[in-house]
PDB file of all heavy atoms in Angstrom:
ATOM      1  N   VAL B 551     -85.724  -7.298  55.070  1.00  0.00           N
ATOM      2  CA  VAL B 551     -85.419  -8.407  54.210  1.00  0.00           C
ATOM      3  C   VAL B 551     -86.168  -9.581  54.709  1.00  0.00           C
ATOM      4  O   VAL B 551     -86.729 -10.432  54.004  1.00  0.00           O
ATOM      5  CB  VAL B 551     -83.899  -8.602  54.111  1.00  0.00           C
ATOM      6  CG1 VAL B 551     -83.670  -9.919  53.394  1.00  0.00           C
ATOM      7  CG2 VAL B 551     -83.265  -7.580  53.275  1.00  0.00           C
ATOM      8  N   GLN B 559     -96.055 -15.615  56.549  1.00  0.00           N
ATOM      9  CA  GLN B 559     -96.042 -16.197  57.823  1.00  0.00           C
ATOM     10  C   GLN B 559     -96.068 -15.121  58.905  1.00  0.00           C
ATOM     11  O   GLN B 559     -95.101 -14.534  59.338  1.00  0.00           O
ATOM     12  CB  GLN B 559     -94.660 -16.950  57.967  1.00  0.00           C
ATOM     13  CG  GLN B 559     -94.431 -17.985  56.990  1.00  0.00           C
ATOM     14  CD  GLN B 559     -95.349 -19.247  57.111  1.00  0.00           C
ATOM     15  OE1 GLN B 559     -95.822 -19.369  58.264  1.00  0.00           O
ATOM     16  NE2 GLN B 559     -95.590 -19.863  56.084  1.00  0.00           N
ATOM     17  N   MET B 562     -94.005 -15.591  62.142  1.00  0.00           N
ATOM     18  CA  MET B 562     -92.588 -15.222  62.069  1.00  0.00           C
ATOM     19  C   MET B 562     -92.413 -13.726  61.921  1.00  0.00           C
ATOM     20  O   MET B 562     -91.408 -13.157  62.449  1.00  0.00           O
ATOM     21  CB  MET B 562     -91.977 -15.952  60.865  1.00  0.00           C
ATOM     22  CG  MET B 562     -91.934 -17.412  60.993  1.00  0.00           C
ATOM     23  SD  MET B 562     -91.067 -18.198  59.559  1.00  0.00           S
ATOM     24  CE  MET B 562     -91.335 -19.888  59.935  1.00  0.00           C
ATOM     25  N   MET B 570     -86.414  -6.751  65.964  1.00  0.00           N
ATOM     26  CA  MET B 570     -86.006  -5.382  65.596  1.00  0.00           C
ATOM     27  C   MET B 570     -86.184  -4.426  66.747  1.00  0.00           C
ATOM     28  O   MET B 570     -85.338  -3.656  67.033  1.00  0.00           O
ATOM     29  CB  MET B 570     -86.725  -4.896  64.343  1.00  0.00           C
ATOM     30  CG  MET B 570     -86.521  -5.729  63.123  1.00  0.00           C
ATOM     31  SD  MET B 570     -87.621  -5.306  61.789  1.00  0.00           S
ATOM     32  CE  MET B 570     -87.114  -3.639  61.398  1.00  0.00           C
ATOM     33  N   ASN B 591     -71.670 -11.652  79.310  1.00  0.00           N
ATOM     34  CA  ASN B 591     -70.511 -11.235  78.550  1.00  0.00           C
ATOM     35  C   ASN B 591     -70.043 -12.289  77.553  1.00  0.00           C
ATOM     36  O   ASN B 591     -69.035 -12.173  76.877  1.00  0.00           O
ATOM     37  CB  ASN B 591     -69.357 -10.939  79.510  1.00  0.00           C
ATOM     38  CG  ASN B 591     -69.004 -12.112  80.469  1.00  0.00           C
ATOM     39  OD1 ASN B 591     -69.443 -13.237  80.299  1.00  0.00           O
ATOM     40  ND2 ASN B 591     -68.132 -11.843  81.444  1.00  0.00           N
ATOM     41  N   ALA B 627     -72.065 -15.950  61.261  1.00  0.00           N
ATOM     42  CA  ALA B 627     -71.993 -14.584  61.656  1.00  0.00           C
ATOM     43  C   ALA B 627     -70.575 -14.040  61.048  1.00  0.00           C
ATOM     44  O   ALA B 627     -70.574 -12.776  60.743  1.00  0.00           O
ATOM     45  CB  ALA B 627     -71.847 -14.477  63.218  1.00  0.00           C
ATOM     46  N   THR B 653     -89.303 -22.178  64.656  1.00  0.00           N
ATOM     47  CA  THR B 653     -90.683 -21.920  64.680  1.00  0.00           C
ATOM     48  C   THR B 653     -91.218 -22.657  63.453  1.00  0.00           C
ATOM     49  O   THR B 653     -92.319 -23.241  63.462  1.00  0.00           O
ATOM     50  CB  THR B 653     -91.007 -20.378  64.470  1.00  0.00           C
ATOM     51  OG1 THR B 653     -90.366 -19.725  65.659  1.00  0.00           O
ATOM     52  CG2 THR B 653     -92.445 -20.143  64.476  1.00  0.00           C
ATOM     53  N   LEU B 674     -95.800 -22.301  74.316  1.00  0.00           N
ATOM     54  CA  LEU B 674     -95.410 -23.515  74.818  1.00  0.00           C
ATOM     55  C   LEU B 674     -94.212 -24.109  74.251  1.00  0.00           C
ATOM     56  O   LEU B 674     -93.647 -25.160  74.729  1.00  0.00           O
ATOM     57  CB  LEU B 674     -96.510 -24.603  74.731  1.00  0.00           C
ATOM     58  CG  LEU B 674     -97.821 -24.218  75.541  1.00  0.00           C
ATOM     59  CD1 LEU B 674     -98.788 -25.361  75.392  1.00  0.00           C
ATOM     60  CD2 LEU B 674     -97.417 -24.170  77.104  1.00  0.00           C
ATOM     61  N   LEU B 699     -84.123 -29.656  68.743  1.00  0.00           N
ATOM     62  CA  LEU B 699     -85.465 -30.053  68.195  1.00  0.00           C
ATOM     63  C   LEU B 699     -85.187 -30.805  66.863  1.00  0.00           C
ATOM     64  O   LEU B 699     -86.013 -31.732  66.611  1.00  0.00           O
ATOM     65  CB  LEU B 699     -86.188 -28.714  67.936  1.00  0.00           C
ATOM     66  CG  LEU B 699     -87.580 -28.889  67.229  1.00  0.00           C
ATOM     67  CD1 LEU B 699     -88.510 -29.594  68.149  1.00  0.00           C
ATOM     68  CD2 LEU B 699     -88.206 -27.490  66.809  1.00  0.00           C
ATOM     69  N   VAL B 709     -79.992 -36.221  59.218  1.00  0.00           N
ATOM     70  CA  VAL B 709     -80.468 -34.965  59.973  1.00  0.00           C
ATOM     71  C   VAL B 709     -80.009 -35.056  61.388  1.00  0.00           C
ATOM     72  O   VAL B 709     -79.507 -34.123  62.094  1.00  0.00           O
ATOM     73  CB  VAL B 709     -81.907 -34.828  59.873  1.00  0.00           C
ATOM     74  CG1 VAL B 709     -82.472 -33.764  60.852  1.00  0.00           C
ATOM     75  CG2 VAL B 709     -82.291 -34.523  58.405  1.00  0.00           C
ATOM     76  N   LEU B 711     -77.562 -36.882  62.781  1.00  0.00           N
ATOM     77  CA  LEU B 711     -76.130 -36.766  62.940  1.00  0.00           C
ATOM     78  C   LEU B 711     -75.657 -35.360  62.710  1.00  0.00           C
ATOM     79  O   LEU B 711     -74.789 -34.908  63.489  1.00  0.00           O
ATOM     80  CB  LEU B 711     -75.424 -37.677  61.891  1.00  0.00           C
ATOM     81  CG  LEU B 711     -73.897 -37.767  61.979  1.00  0.00           C
ATOM     82  CD1 LEU B 711     -73.501 -38.200  63.345  1.00  0.00           C
ATOM     83  CD2 LEU B 711     -73.392 -38.699  60.869  1.00  0.00           C
ATOM     84  N   ARG B 721     -71.974 -27.181  72.603  1.00  0.00           N
ATOM     85  CA  ARG B 721     -72.049 -27.484  74.013  1.00  0.00           C
ATOM     86  C   ARG B 721     -71.890 -28.991  74.118  1.00  0.00           C
ATOM     87  O   ARG B 721     -72.945 -29.770  74.091  1.00  0.00           O
ATOM     88  CB  ARG B 721     -73.295 -27.042  74.696  1.00  0.00           C
ATOM     89  CG  ARG B 721     -73.204 -27.131  76.201  1.00  0.00           C
ATOM     90  CD  ARG B 721     -74.521 -26.629  76.824  1.00  0.00           C
ATOM     91  NE  ARG B 721     -74.483 -25.151  76.869  1.00  0.00           N
ATOM     92  CZ  ARG B 721     -75.476 -24.335  77.230  1.00  0.00           C
ATOM     93  NH1 ARG B 721     -76.688 -24.860  77.556  1.00  0.00           N
ATOM     94  NH2 ARG B 721     -75.384 -23.049  77.216  1.00  0.00           N
ATOM     95  N   CYS B 730     -77.175 -39.894  74.745  1.00  0.00           N
ATOM     96  CA  CYS B 730     -77.407 -41.016  75.661  1.00  0.00           C
ATOM     97  C   CYS B 730     -78.919 -41.286  76.001  1.00  0.00           C
ATOM     98  O   CYS B 730     -79.365 -42.363  76.070  1.00  0.00           O
ATOM     99  CB  CYS B 730     -76.692 -40.745  77.024  1.00  0.00           C
ATOM    100  SG  CYS B 730     -74.908 -40.829  76.932  1.00  0.00           S
ATOM    101  N   GLN B 772     -63.082 -37.304  84.733  1.00  0.00           N
ATOM    102  CA  GLN B 772     -61.882 -38.155  84.779  1.00  0.00           C
ATOM    103  C   GLN B 772     -61.082 -38.067  83.562  1.00  0.00           C
ATOM    104  O   GLN B 772     -59.833 -37.897  83.560  1.00  0.00           O
ATOM    105  CB  GLN B 772     -62.391 -39.607  85.026  1.00  0.00           C
ATOM    106  CG  GLN B 772     -62.903 -39.837  86.439  1.00  0.00           C
ATOM    107  CD  GLN B 772     -63.465 -41.310  86.508  1.00  0.00           C
ATOM    108  OE1 GLN B 772     -62.890 -42.212  85.944  1.00  0.00           O
ATOM    109  NE2 GLN B 772     -64.557 -41.312  87.333  1.00  0.00           N
ATOM    110  N   SER B 778     -59.021 -40.593  88.792  1.00  0.00           N
ATOM    111  CA  SER B 778     -59.975 -41.790  88.925  1.00  0.00           C
ATOM    112  C   SER B 778     -60.812 -41.537  90.084  1.00  0.00           C
ATOM    113  O   SER B 778     -60.505 -40.844  91.033  1.00  0.00           O
ATOM    114  CB  SER B 778     -59.191 -43.009  89.086  1.00  0.00           C
ATOM    115  OG  SER B 778     -58.425 -43.050  90.256  1.00  0.00           O
ATOM    116  N   ILE B 814     -83.686 -12.289  94.606  1.00  0.00           N
ATOM    117  CA  ILE B 814     -84.758 -13.337  94.501  1.00  0.00           C
ATOM    118  C   ILE B 814     -86.008 -12.634  93.951  1.00  0.00           C
ATOM    119  O   ILE B 814     -86.741 -13.183  93.024  1.00  0.00           O
ATOM    120  CB  ILE B 814     -84.998 -14.093  95.799  1.00  0.00           C
ATOM    121  CG1 ILE B 814     -83.735 -14.794  96.245  1.00  0.00           C
ATOM    122  CG2 ILE B 814     -86.184 -14.952  95.652  1.00  0.00           C
ATOM    123  CD1 ILE B 814     -83.236 -15.929  95.270  1.00  0.00           C
ATOM    124  N   SER B 816     -86.309 -10.064  92.091  1.00  0.00           N
ATOM    125  CA  SER B 816     -86.191  -9.613  90.749  1.00  0.00           C
ATOM    126  C   SER B 816     -86.295 -10.866  89.777  1.00  0.00           C
ATOM    127  O   SER B 816     -86.894 -10.772  88.754  1.00  0.00           O
ATOM    128  CB  SER B 816     -84.698  -8.949  90.421  1.00  0.00           C
ATOM    129  OG  SER B 816     -84.594  -7.753  91.168  1.00  0.00           O
ATOM    130  N   SER B 825     -92.986 -16.275  81.783  1.00  0.00           N
ATOM    131  CA  SER B 825     -93.532 -17.399  82.473  1.00  0.00           C
ATOM    132  C   SER B 825     -93.312 -18.755  81.884  1.00  0.00           C
ATOM    133  O   SER B 825     -93.458 -19.856  82.558  1.00  0.00           O
ATOM    134  CB  SER B 825     -95.053 -17.126  82.780  1.00  0.00           C
ATOM    135  OG  SER B 825     -95.677 -16.979  81.518  1.00  0.00           O
ATOM    136  N   ILE B 830     -93.471 -24.369  80.907  1.00  0.00           N
ATOM    137  CA  ILE B 830     -93.005 -25.579  79.961  1.00  0.00           C
ATOM    138  C   ILE B 830     -92.355 -26.711  80.735  1.00  0.00           C
ATOM    139  O   ILE B 830     -92.941 -27.904  80.577  1.00  0.00           O
ATOM    140  CB  ILE B 830     -91.993 -25.042  78.872  1.00  0.00           C
ATOM    141  CG1 ILE B 830     -92.842 -23.994  77.968  1.00  0.00           C
ATOM    142  CG2 ILE B 830     -91.509 -26.152  78.043  1.00  0.00           C
ATOM    143  CD1 ILE B 830     -91.847 -23.287  77.014  1.00  0.00           C
ATOM    144  N   LEU B 847     -90.943 -40.228  71.574  1.00  0.00           N
ATOM    145  CA  LEU B 847     -90.331 -38.947  71.683  1.00  0.00           C
ATOM    146  C   LEU B 847     -90.442 -38.485  73.153  1.00  0.00           C
ATOM    147  O   LEU B 847     -89.350 -37.996  73.624  1.00  0.00           O
ATOM    148  CB  LEU B 847     -91.284 -37.919  70.865  1.00  0.00           C
ATOM    149  CG  LEU B 847     -90.954 -36.572  70.987  1.00  0.00           C
ATOM    150  CD1 LEU B 847     -89.490 -36.224  70.511  1.00  0.00           C
ATOM    151  CD2 LEU B 847     -91.867 -35.597  70.248  1.00  0.00           C
ATOM    152  N   THR B 848     -91.460 -38.757  73.838  1.00  0.00           N
ATOM    153  CA  THR B 848     -91.554 -38.365  75.301  1.00  0.00           C
ATOM    154  C   THR B 848     -90.474 -39.098  76.090  1.00  0.00           C
ATOM    155  O   THR B 848     -89.835 -38.419  76.884  1.00  0.00           O
ATOM    156  CB  THR B 848     -92.963 -38.784  75.897  1.00  0.00           C
ATOM    157  OG1 THR B 848     -93.901 -38.188  75.091  1.00  0.00           O
ATOM    158  CG2 THR B 848     -93.020 -38.313  77.296  1.00  0.00           C
ATOM    159  N   LEU B 882     -93.066 -29.217  72.579  1.00  0.00           N
ATOM    160  CA  LEU B 882     -93.649 -30.035  71.429  1.00  0.00           C
ATOM    161  C   LEU B 882     -94.308 -31.392  71.985  1.00  0.00           C
ATOM    162  O   LEU B 882     -95.358 -31.687  71.535  1.00  0.00           O
ATOM    163  CB  LEU B 882     -92.497 -30.431  70.493  1.00  0.00           C
ATOM    164  CG  LEU B 882     -92.910 -31.393  69.311  1.00  0.00           C
ATOM    165  CD1 LEU B 882     -93.924 -30.738  68.472  1.00  0.00           C
ATOM    166  CD2 LEU B 882     -91.645 -31.721  68.534  1.00  0.00           C
ATOM    167  N   LEU B 885     -97.645 -30.299  73.449  1.00  0.00           N
ATOM    168  CA  LEU B 885     -98.621 -30.043  72.446  1.00  0.00           C
ATOM    169  C   LEU B 885     -99.126 -31.245  71.634  1.00  0.00           C
ATOM    170  O   LEU B 885    -100.319 -31.403  71.464  1.00  0.00           O
ATOM    171  CB  LEU B 885     -97.895 -29.063  71.368  1.00  0.00           C
ATOM    172  CG  LEU B 885     -97.764 -27.682  71.860  1.00  0.00           C
ATOM    173  CD1 LEU B 885     -96.878 -26.865  70.799  1.00  0.00           C
ATOM    174  CD2 LEU B 885     -99.080 -26.885  72.030  1.00  0.00           C
ATOM    175  N   LEU B 901    -118.608 -40.987  68.424  1.00  0.00           N
ATOM    176  CA  LEU B 901    -119.228 -42.361  68.546  1.00  0.00           C
ATOM    177  C   LEU B 901    -120.497 -42.293  69.455  1.00  0.00           C
ATOM    178  O   LEU B 901    -121.446 -43.008  69.075  1.00  0.00           O
ATOM    179  CB  LEU B 901    -118.159 -43.305  69.207  1.00  0.00           C
ATOM    180  CG  LEU B 901    -116.958 -43.567  68.295  1.00  0.00           C
ATOM    181  CD1 LEU B 901    -115.922 -44.486  69.162  1.00  0.00           C
ATOM    182  CD2 LEU B 901    -117.472 -44.494  67.089  1.00  0.00           C
TER     183      LEU B 901
END
Side-chain angles (χ1 to χ4, degrees):
V551 169
Q559 301 289 336
M562 293 184 187
M570 294 172 68
N591 57 10
T653 303
L674 289 180
L699 180 65
V709 170
L711 182 60
R721 186 176 288 171
C730 290
Q772 292 174 36
S778 60
I814 297 298
S816 300
S825 57
I830 295 173
L847 176 62
T848 302
L882 175 64
L885 287 172
L901 290 174

